[in-house]
Amino acid sequence: MAVYVDAAIWKHEGLLWCHMLADDLAELHRFATHLGLKLSSYQGPPKTSAPHYDITGFERDRAVRLGAVECSREEIVAVFRRVKVPNGKAMR
């Protein structure tokens, strides 16, 4: 299992942001907690179809140091499709 981050290119509130996804929902939450994120910042069904966290570029750098896999846009889209929750059901 792995945790993935794309490039921090999305501008919001003066910061650059990216996505953090994982192969497993428990792993995603465990990594987010280790990174110091609040579970309330989690985004998933029914709000979005793929469980993820939006993280800042600073958090991304720390995530990579902690073992997150850096992904290109194409790679993160492939991960998104792989972990997408059909009809908002719980991730396996």
Side-chain angles (χ1 to χ4, degrees), residues 32 35 39-40 43 49 57 62 70 73-74 78:
L35 195 55
L39 292 181
S40 62
Q43 297 184 40
S49 59
R62 185 159 181 262
E70 297 178 273
R73 181 175 173 86
E74 293 78 17

Side-chain angles (χ1 to χ4, degrees), residues 1 3 11 23-24 28 37 44 47 53 56-58 65 74 77 79 85:
M1 286 187 274
V3 174
K11 294 179 183 178
D23 293 319
D24 176 78
L28 178 64
L37 303 178
K47 184 178 177 183
Y53 286 84
T56 68
F58 301 109
R65 286 193 306 271
E74 293 78 17
V77 168
V79 173
V85 177

